[in-house]
Amino acid sequence: MTVVMMAATLGLSAQKGMTPPAGGKAISNELIGIFFEDISSAADGGLYAELIQNGSFEFNPTERDGWGAGTAWRMIRPGHSTGHIEPLSTNPIHANNPNFMRLYIERVGHYYDYAGWTGFGIQNDGFDGISVKDGAKYQFSAFLRNVKGDAKQVRIALVEPQQGWGRNPKLLAEAIIDVNTSEWKKYDAQLIPNATSEHAALQVLVLTTGEMDVDMVSLMPEDTYKGHGLRKDLAEALEALHPKFMRFPGGCVVHGGGDGFWNTYRWKTTVGPKEQRRPLKNTWGYHQSMGLGYHEYFQFCEDVGMEPLPILPCGVSCQGANGGWGMRDQAQDCVPMSEMDEWVDEALDLIEWANGDVNTKWGRVRAEAGHPKPFNLKYLGLGNEERISPEFIERFKYIYERVTKAHPEIVIVGTAGPGSHPGNRDYENGWKLADEIGLPILDEHYYEQRDYFFKSRQYDTYPRDRKTKVYLGEYAAKDKKLIDALAEALYLLHVERNGDVVCMTSYAPLFARKTNTNWNPDLIYFDNERPVLTCSYYVQQMFGQSSGNYYYGDCVNIEGADNLQEQSVVLNTKTRQLFVKVCNASGDRKKANINLSRFKSMKSVATMTVLTGQPNDENNFDQQPIQPQVSTVKMKKKMSIDLEPYSFVMYQINL
C-alpha cells in the first residue's frame, strides 16, 4: 500500500470541492467518531430496543450471583389457577440457546380476576418496568410448543400492575394465540396499549391444561430507528453527534475482560437468526443476549452514514485477566501459536461477511439476513489495549501479515495498550511495533483528570514523517461537569491542530443506564423514558458538526492566552463551510482577534453556537442547565470578540 493510497484512505487529502486558500494544512476529515461498548447496560436495556429482559431464559449464576434461567420472570396464576414452571434444556430451538421454560398447567381457575381473566403463566417486568405509549404498536413474538394435552389457548397481555393487596392489574393490551403443534414454532402478535405506562409488564397466560414450552420471548416497539431494532431516542442522540465512524463491540468485551480468554466475543455467533445466536457473559457483570450483534452494528453504521470499525481479538487475553491490573508482569492467557489460524480466519471471514459477494460463504449469510449489498468495510481493528508483551507481538504480527496479504485494501488499526502516554512501557512497545511493520493506525487510550487535558499537548511533538497515524480511541476527563467538558474541548482543538497526525478520536464510554452504571463519567445517561445529554456530549456534537479537511492555525489570536484557551479554524472544502472555534476554560473574560481575510468568498451571516455556564454545572436526570445556544450573527473578515468565562464558541460560515 503506497503512501498516496494511505493518505486518501485516512481522509488526509483534499475532498472534492473548492480549492483551499494558502496557509492551511490537510487534516483528517474523520476526527470525530463514537465508540460503543456494552458496558453499563448499553445494549440490552439500552440501545437495543428489546423490552423483555432474559427472554431466552439464558441468565445464569456465572454472570451474577443468584441469577438463573428464571431471572426477571415470575409465575402468575390469576383466577386461583394452579401449576408450576421448570427451566429445561432438552431439545432446545438451537444449541446456542439451550434453556427454555416449561409451564405445567394443572388447573385453570374459574374465578375471574386480573382484569377479568384467568390462566396460568409467567410475567416479565422488563428493565425496571416496560415503558409503553398510548396507541403505539408493539410486536410480540415467542417460540412455543405444545408438549402435553389439547392445543393451547394462550393470552398475551400488557398490564400495569397496581399497588396494594387485592388490586388487579390494569389491562393495557391483549391478544390470543393458539398453540397447536408439538414442534417449536414462532408465534407473533401485535399489542396496542390503550394508555401510557412507565411500569408495564408482559404476561403469557395459558388457558388450557397440560404442558407447554416457552422460549425467545420478545416485545419490540414497532417504531425503532429506521426500522432496524434500535431504540429511537438513543440512536437519534448518536446520529446528532455527526460521527464519522463507530468502533465496536469493545473495549474489554472484545477479549473477555478479567474473566479470561474463554469469554472472548466471537462475531460469528452474533449474526443470523436471533434464536441461533450465542449469548455471552458480559465482562462488566451481566448478560449479553446478542440481539444487538454484528449485523445490527453494521446496519446502524450504514443508517447513520459512518464507517464501521470492528475490533477483533488477536489471540491474547485482556490486560486485566489473572490479576493483570495489579500485577504488571503476570503472564497473559494466549492462544497457542499452533491454533492461531483460527483467529486469522476470524478476521478473513469477517471481511468476507462484510464485503463479499452473495455467492461467497459469509456473504451469503449477510444476504440471508436481509442485506445482499456489501457493507464496504474499510477499517479493521486487531486487539484492544492489551499489554504489548512478546506473546502479543508474536500473535499480532501473525494475524496482521496474513490479513494484509489477503486484503491490502483494509486499513488495520493496532493498539498502544492502556495508558498511552510517552514513557509508558506498552506505549513505547506499541509504537516500536507499529514503526517496524508500517502499521497504518495505532489506537491510544487514556482517562485522566481535567488538569491533564488543560496542560498536555501530547501530539505537538509526534514525528510528522511517521507512516502510522493515531486513533485516540478512548479518552475522557474523569468527571462530567462543564469544566471537564471544556478541558476536553481544549484538547480536541489541540487534536485538530495535529489532525495530520491524529486521524480519529472517540470519547468513552458512550452510554450508561441510570440503574446499572459500571463506569463514570459517560457521554449519555438514560432510563426507560429519555436520554440525559452531558456537557461532554455537546462538546462532541460541536466538533462533529464542524468537521473539515484543512486546518488554519493563524486566523485567531487570543490576547493573554495560556493553557486554558485554545482556538482552531477548520475548512471543509466539500461543503464550502468554514468553522471558527474558540474555547476559554478560565474564569476571566478574554478577547480574541479574528482575521479571515484569506477566505475571499466568505458570507456575512454566520451561525454561532455557544456552550457556557458555571464550571461545576452538570446535566443529570433532575436538571440540564447546560445546553448549546444557537443564533444567527453578522460576520466580518476582521473582527474581535469577547470570550466569556467558561465558554466554548463556534462560528459556522458559508463560503
Side-chain angles (χ1 to χ4, degrees):
M1 184 177 294
T2 67
V3 175
V4 173
M5 289 175 61
M6 182 62 63
T9 303
L10 301 184
L12 297 176
S13 62
Q15 304 174 51
K16 292 181 180 179
M18 65 176 289
T19 300
K25 69 175 177 180
I27 64 170
S28 170
N29 58 10
E30 296 181 339
L31 272 179
I32 303 299
I34 55 177
F35 161 45
F36 183 92
E37 178 175 7
D38 191 356
I39 180 175
S40 303
S41 295
D44 294 300
L47 184 61
Y48 181 41
E50 176 61 64
L51 297 172
I52 300 302
Q53 185 174 187
N54 193 22
S56 62
F57 304 99
E58 298 298 332
F59 282 30
N60 65 77
T62 69
E63 298 170 321
R64 185 170 294 178
D65 287 346
W67 273 15
T71 296
W73 293 94
R74 63 187 182 93
M75 185 178 71
I76 55 173
R77 50 187 195 92
H80 299 296
S81 300
T82 59
H84 65 282
I85 62 177
E86 181 183 16
L88 297 173
S89 57
T90 303
N91 191 21
I93 302 170
H94 193 274
N96 283 343
N97 273 280
N99 294 334
F100 57 88
M101 190 65 72
R102 178 160 294 177
L103 278 55
Y104 298 87
I105 307 96
E106 299 168 359
R107 176 182 179 275
V108 176
H110 297 292
Y111 173 77
Y112 293 91
D113 57 11
Y114 267 61
W117 211 277
T118 184
F120 175 85
I122 52 178
Q123 175 175 308
N124 191 289
D125 297 327
F127 300 88
D128 305 315
I130 298 174
S131 180
V132 296
K133 306 300 180 186
D134 182 12
K137 296 177 181 179
Y138 298 86
Q139 299 302 128
F140 166 86
S141 67
F143 280 82
L144 307 171
R145 67 179 173 189
N146 183 27
V147 178
K148 184 177 180 181
D150 295 337
K152 301 292 186 288
Q153 191 176 57
V154 181
R155 182 198 188 210
I156 310 302
L158 268 174
V159 302
E160 184 179 80
Q162 303 295 304
Q163 299 298 317
W165 184 86
R167 299 189 65 187
N168 295 329
K170 176 183 177 181
L171 179 64
L172 301 173
E174 65 177 333
I176 299 295
I177 292 174
D178 293 317
V179 181
N180 52 17
T181 176
S182 60
E183 301 297 325
W184 285 113
K185 180 181 176 181
K186 187 177 182 180
Y187 294 84
D188 300 278
Q190 186 178 83
L191 299 174
I192 304 177
N194 57 20
T196 293
S197 175
E198 295 182 13
H199 302 286
L202 179 78
Q203 296 181 343
V204 179
L205 285 165
V206 187
L207 308 179
T208 311
T209 58
E211 299 174 13
M212 189 187 80
D213 291 337
V214 183
D215 202 0
M216 298 301 298
V217 182
S218 172
L219 184 69
M220 292 282 285
E222 184 179 88
D223 187 20
T224 61
Y225 182 74
K226 299 194 176 181
H228 290 140
L230 300 187
R231 182 173 149 177
K232 196 171 183 180
D233 58 346
L234 298 186
E236 287 176 343
L238 297 185
E239 180 185 37
L241 290 169
H242 301 272
K244 298 300 184 292
F245 65 90
M246 183 171 85
R247 170 182 163 220
F248 58 88
C252 291
V253 167
V254 168
H255 45 199
D259 292 309
F261 206 66
W262 67 271
N263 201 42
T264 295
Y265 192 107
R266 308 300 292 269
W267 73 266
K268 292 179 182 179
T269 62
T270 75
V271 297
K274 293 187 179 181
E275 66 273 13
Q276 296 180 15
R277 300 182 185 184
R278 181 173 65 86
L280 191 67
K281 177 189 176 182
N282 184 283
T283 191
W284 300 105
Y286 56 91
H287 182 84
Q288 291 175 276
S289 72
M290 298 305 176
L292 174 53
Y294 258 58
H295 185 96
E296 290 74 22
Y297 286 128
F298 272 78
Q299 182 67 69
F300 183 49
C301 289
E302 183 177 86
D303 287 341
V304 174
M306 52 188 174
E307 298 290 347
L309 174 49
I311 309 296
L312 295 181
C314 52
V316 178
S317 69
C318 175
Q319 70 279 3
N322 298 324
W325 291 113
M327 302 169 65
R328 179 61 182 80
D329 295 312
Q330 177 76 21
Q332 294 167 288
D333 289 333
C334 300
V335 173
M337 288 303 298
S338 60
E339 299 176 11
M340 280 300 296
D341 284 345
E342 175 185 344
W343 300 92
V344 173
D345 290 342
E346 189 96 348
L348 297 178
D349 291 345
L350 174 60
I351 296 169
E352 181 178 283
W353 176 84
N355 294 351
D357 184 84
V358 295
N359 295 317
T360 62
K361 175 183 176 180
W362 287 103
R364 186 180 304 113
V365 172
R366 183 197 67 243
E368 290 173 350
H371 201 286
K373 293 183 179 180
F375 281 115
N376 298 318
L377 176 67
K378 297 178 182 178
Y379 298 110
L380 177 62
L382 296 177
N384 171 72
E385 67 175 37
E386 295 91 350
R387 296 203 310 266
I388 313 301
S389 63
E391 295 83 3
F392 172 85
I393 292 171
E394 181 180 20
R395 285 154 182 80
F396 183 88
K397 283 183 175 180
Y398 191 85
I399 296 182
Y400 177 77
E401 290 169 0
R402 284 152 182 79
V403 172
T404 53
K405 181 178 181 180
H407 291 282
E409 77 282 6
I410 298 295
V411 178
I412 301 298
V413 180
T415 176
S420 304
H421 298 307
N424 176 281
R425 189 196 307 182
D426 294 311
Y427 169 91
E428 300 295 344
N429 289 340
W431 272 107
K432 181 179 179 181
L433 174 62
D435 290 339
E436 176 187 338
I437 65 177
L439 184 70
I441 303 176
L442 193 65
D443 183 7
E444 297 186 346
H445 295 179
Y446 41 88
Y447 299 92
E448 302 290 346
Q449 300 295 336
R450 72 176 75 103
D451 283 351
Y452 171 82
F453 297 100
F454 283 145
K455 297 175 181 178
S456 173
R457 298 295 182 264
Q458 179 163 329
Y459 300 114
D460 285 346
T461 59
Y462 277 40
R464 264 44 199 177
D465 58 352
R466 215 173 213 164
K467 291 183 178 180
T468 305
K469 303 301 178 184
V470 176
Y471 167 33
L472 179 51
E474 293 185 35
Y475 75 97
K478 291 184 176 180
D479 208 341
K480 50 184 180 288
K481 297 178 173 61
L482 175 62
I483 191 65
D484 300 285
L486 293 177
E488 292 158 357
L490 287 172
Y491 201 69
L492 282 174
L493 292 169
H494 154 69
V495 166
E496 281 189 330
R497 182 169 70 245
N498 290 281
D500 55 333
V501 169
V502 183
C503 63
M504 294 172 161
T505 69
S506 51
Y507 182 104
L510 188 62
F511 280 126
R513 185 174 178 86
K514 181 180 181 181
T515 56
N516 187 34
T517 298
N518 300 101
W519 187 283
N520 273 303
D522 303 275
L523 199 65
I524 301 169
Y525 294 81
F526 65 91
D527 58 15
N528 287 345
E529 294 298 311
R530 58 177 176 152
V532 172
L533 308 178
T534 63
C535 304
S536 294
Y537 172 92
Y538 290 118
V539 166
Q540 293 290 318
Q541 184 182 62
M542 290 170 71
F543 276 92
Q545 292 169 336
S546 58
S547 66
N549 57 316
Y550 271 85
Y551 170 85
Y552 296 84
D554 58 351
C555 296
V556 179
N557 173 259
I558 304 172
E559 296 181 6
D562 54 29
N563 285 338
L564 298 180
Q565 292 83 39
E566 274 282 7
Q567 58 82 29
S568 174
V569 174
V570 171
L571 171 66
N572 188 316
T573 60
K574 183 177 181 180
T575 63
R576 301 181 67 91
Q577 289 180 317
L578 186 68
F579 301 95
V580 179
K581 286 170 281 193
V582 191
C583 184
N584 178 19
S586 76
D588 301 320
R589 181 179 281 105
K590 294 286 184 177
K591 177 174 286 188
N593 301 308
I594 301 173
N595 185 346
L596 304 176
S597 300
R598 73 188 68 187
F599 303 99
K600 302 301 182 184
S601 59
M602 191 183 97
K603 301 297 187 290
S604 61
V605 175
T607 299
M608 181 175 71
T609 304
V610 180
L611 196 69
T612 189
Q614 296 302 308
N616 290 324
D617 285 347
E618 63 178 77
N619 293 343
N620 53 48
F621 286 94
D622 297 323
Q623 58 181 356
Q624 292 87 44
I626 302 300
Q627 307 281 335
Q629 303 300 313
V630 182
S631 60
T632 301
V633 297
K634 294 281 188 178
M635 202 75 189
K636 298 179 180 178
K637 290 186 177 180
K638 290 185 178 182
M639 58 186 290
S640 295
I641 61 172
D642 289 325
L643 299 175
E644 295 300 318
Y646 310 113
S647 65
F648 179 35
V649 181
M650 178 178 77
Y651 294 93
Q652 177 181 323
I653 309 161
N654 292 325
L655 300 178

